[in-house]
Amino acid sequence: FPSHDTGLVDEYNAQIVDYTAVVIVGGYSIRVSEGLTISDSSNDRVSTCSFQIPNVQDWMMDILRIRADIHVMLFDGDTTEHFGGRIVANPVSWRGHSPFMSIEAEDYTATADDYTVNQSYRNKFVHEIVHEMWTEFYEGEIEFDIQPSTLKIPIISFNFETLFNCCLNLVSFMFF
């Protein structure tokens, strides 16, 4: 691949402070120059990220493919990973004589919808069920940072439910 110095403008306007924003994908860093929007809401099921890349080059089209893992880094004196997920849309259009790519991504929460759970759990704490489900049914690498729970569930069954919905069911079980 050629050098990734794309000459792109690297300022992200956060309405108050300008940040340098870089997207890391496929081991390459690409500066974000236009339209970076990150919805990072704890109330939404999935957080999203979108941005545009003007004058997109062939090597960028190869790595900015559907389902590619991306990380958006914001630099404001310290490095901050602000978004991690995968690309769900990457249409290319033309702006004059140059290709222009619009990227849409969903955070890793969305990957939990790709896996189904078909299992019953008996006399287990919530954190044990979560750990077992993700270990058994999720195919990717995952780091666990689960706080031990004190709620032991006598029995709970999941019949081909998405991993995400199983976790929502456990949350509702805990608080209702």
Side-chain angles (χ1 to χ4, degrees):
F1 285 5
S3 165
H4 22 267
D5 179 16
T6 61
L8 299 176
V9 178
D10 62 1
E11 297 301 312
Y12 164 59
N13 188 338
Q15 296 180 355
I16 298 171
V17 178
D18 285 336
Y19 291 99
T20 300
V22 174
V23 172
I24 299 170
V25 60
Y28 291 88
S29 298
I30 301 170
R31 290 183 183 144
V32 175
S33 65
E34 294 186 25
L36 177 62
T37 303
I38 297 173
S39 73
D40 191 13
S41 173
S42 60
N43 294 332
D44 289 335
R45 182 175 175 133
V46 174
S47 294
T48 60
C49 174
S50 62
F51 56 93
Q52 291 80 43
I53 299 177
N55 303 318
V56 67
Q57 300 170 20
D58 288 342
W59 69 270
M60 291 177 183
M61 288 188 213
D62 290 340
I63 63 170
L64 293 167
R65 67 192 182 288
I66 298 294
R67 299 179 70 82
D69 290 327
I70 70 166
H71 298 273
V72 176
M73 308 297 284
L74 299 177
F75 301 93
D76 62 351
D78 294 319
T79 302
T80 305
E81 181 173 348
H82 195 70
F83 181 86
R86 64 184 181 181
I87 296 172
V88 296
N90 62 354
V92 176
S93 57
W94 288 84
R95 194 187 274 173
H97 297 290
S98 301
F100 178 85
M101 183 180 277
S102 297
I103 300 291
E104 294 178 34
E106 295 177 335
D107 72 2
Y108 288 118
T109 306
T111 63
D113 275 336
D114 292 345
Y115 302 95
T116 56
V117 176
N118 186 31
Q119 184 73 279
S120 294
Y121 300 93
R122 296 178 191 276
N123 296 319
K124 297 207 177 258
F125 291 101
V126 172
H127 68 277
E128 293 172 323
I129 296 171
V130 170
H131 188 271
E132 286 183 27
M133 281 191 313
W134 281 86
T135 302
E136 182 174 349
F137 296 100
Y138 188 72
E139 295 173 2
E141 290 184 28
I142 188 167
E143 278 186 36
F144 292 99
D145 186 14
I146 304 172
Q147 298 300 316
S149 61
T150 58
L151 177 63
K152 187 177 254 188
I153 298 179
I155 187 166
I156 190 166
S157 297
F158 303 107
N159 295 313
F160 298 101
E161 294 178 54
T162 67
L163 190 51
F164 188 90
N165 285 339
C166 292
C167 289
L168 285 179
N169 288 341
L170 284 170
V171 169
S172 65
F173 201 97
M174 290 174 60
F175 294 105
F176 296 106

